[in-house]
Amino acid sequence: MIIDDYAYRNKLSKVNPKNKFAIGMLLLFLSLINTYNYIAILIIVVMSFIIVGIAKIEFKDYIYFIKIPLVFLFFSIAMILLTFSNNIGVSSESIIISTRLFFRALSCLTCIYFIMLTTPFNQLIFVFKKLHLPDIVLEISMLMYRFIFIFMEEVEDIRKSQELRFGYINLKNGYNSFGLLVNMLFKRMMIRYDEMSMKKNFINITIISRVYNSIE
């Protein structure tokens, strides 16, 4: 969870989250409606400079974060670039559209990473509350955020245990170990969910009883 780690220890983590969120969303909206490549490139340069130069995110990590969605972006661009008519080929119009789409998507991506890498999750919840999002949305967001860490922790524990037993020593063992990992992960996640539900119910009962006692 390198992104989450950077969100809490970057040089902009103490900056007002409302300002960071507003800047990120404003440039994101501009990226979506923009039709000029030079504006998209300008947004990419500005966002990248803020992320790497001001927030002090490691350049190699930033490139790694960008590289992951770029793989899917290149496949999408390739499909748009090819025009299917009598023969499969590339037209000047498809090149223009693909180039515009590429820079637009990349500029949107840098805006999203700006928010993710500079704004801790608790600050995002604060911003969402200020935006008056429904409580159910906030609770689901926090639950999903919590379960990401639980999921990663369980995967790491199970995989380490399997590796110690040479579970991935060859292809056949690897397939069997992966199947067991998925099965055990599902069971453990259900157990963790039950534990969290019981703990939440216990806390709610405790709060209600304290309120009742204070009234009496």
Side-chain angles (χ1 to χ4, degrees):
M1 306 302 294
I2 304 176
I3 292 179
D4 191 72
D5 183 46
Y6 272 128
Y8 281 93
R9 63 181 181 88
N10 73 89
K11 297 299 183 180
L12 296 177
S13 61
K14 304 299 182 182
V15 176
N16 191 325
K18 291 188 292 185
N19 295 337
K20 292 184 290 186
F21 188 80
I23 292 172
M25 293 304 296
L26 179 63
L27 291 179
L28 176 62
F29 179 73
L30 178 61
S31 299
L32 289 172
I33 64 174
N34 168 55
T35 57
Y36 299 100
N37 290 339
Y38 69 89
I39 295 179
I41 294 173
L42 180 62
I43 294 174
I44 294 169
V45 172
V46 171
M47 287 286 95
S48 299
F49 173 76
I50 295 175
I51 293 171
V52 177
I54 300 178
K56 301 300 180 183
I57 306 299
E58 289 288 339
F59 181 73
K60 60 180 180 63
D61 289 333
Y62 176 61
I63 294 299
Y64 175 75
F65 299 145
I66 293 290
K67 184 173 63 177
I68 297 173
L70 271 184
V71 175
F72 299 97
L73 179 59
F74 278 130
F75 278 114
S76 302
I77 295 298
M79 296 303 297
I80 296 173
L81 193 59
L82 295 175
T83 56
F84 294 88
S85 54
N86 294 330
N87 296 311
I88 298 176
V90 179
S91 66
S92 57
E93 183 181 0
S94 66
I95 293 175
I96 294 173
I97 294 174
S98 300
T99 304
R100 185 182 300 163
L101 180 61
F102 173 78
F103 286 115
R104 178 184 294 177
L106 191 57
S107 62
C108 290
L109 191 62
T110 55
C111 295
I112 293 172
Y113 271 127
F114 167 73
I115 297 174
M116 292 173 59
L117 290 168
T118 63
T119 313
F121 185 74
N122 60 338
Q123 292 184 2
L124 286 176
I125 293 297
F126 169 77
V127 173
F128 294 154
K129 284 186 176 180
K130 291 295 182 180
L131 293 174
H132 303 289
L133 290 183
D135 291 338
I136 185 64
V137 174
L138 298 179
E139 290 184 9
I140 292 175
S141 300
M142 289 187 287
L143 187 62
M144 291 175 62
Y145 178 76
R146 173 59 181 159
F147 260 87
I148 289 174
F149 289 95
I150 294 176
F151 180 84
M152 297 299 293
E153 180 183 341
E154 292 292 347
V155 169
E156 185 177 2
D157 290 343
I158 297 172
R159 187 173 178 84
K160 282 183 178 179
S161 177
Q162 290 177 332
E163 288 176 349
L164 290 174
R165 297 188 178 94
F166 304 102
Y168 296 92
I169 195 171
N170 54 46
L171 187 61
K172 181 180 178 181
N173 287 355
Y175 282 132
N176 292 333
S177 297
F178 181 75
L180 289 173
L181 186 148
V182 173
N183 184 36
M184 293 176 63
L185 183 62
F186 176 77
K187 292 179 179 178
R188 288 196 182 185
M189 293 298 289
M190 293 303 297
I191 292 173
R192 287 291 194 100
Y193 175 77
D194 290 338
E195 290 175 351
M196 288 181 62
S197 299
M198 292 174 61
K199 186 176 181 180
K200 183 179 180 180
N201 291 335
F202 175 76
I203 293 174
N204 290 336
I205 292 173
T206 304
I207 293 174
I208 293 173
S209 62
R210 286 181 179 178
V211 172
Y212 180 77
N213 291 333
S214 64
I215 294 175
E216 288 187 338

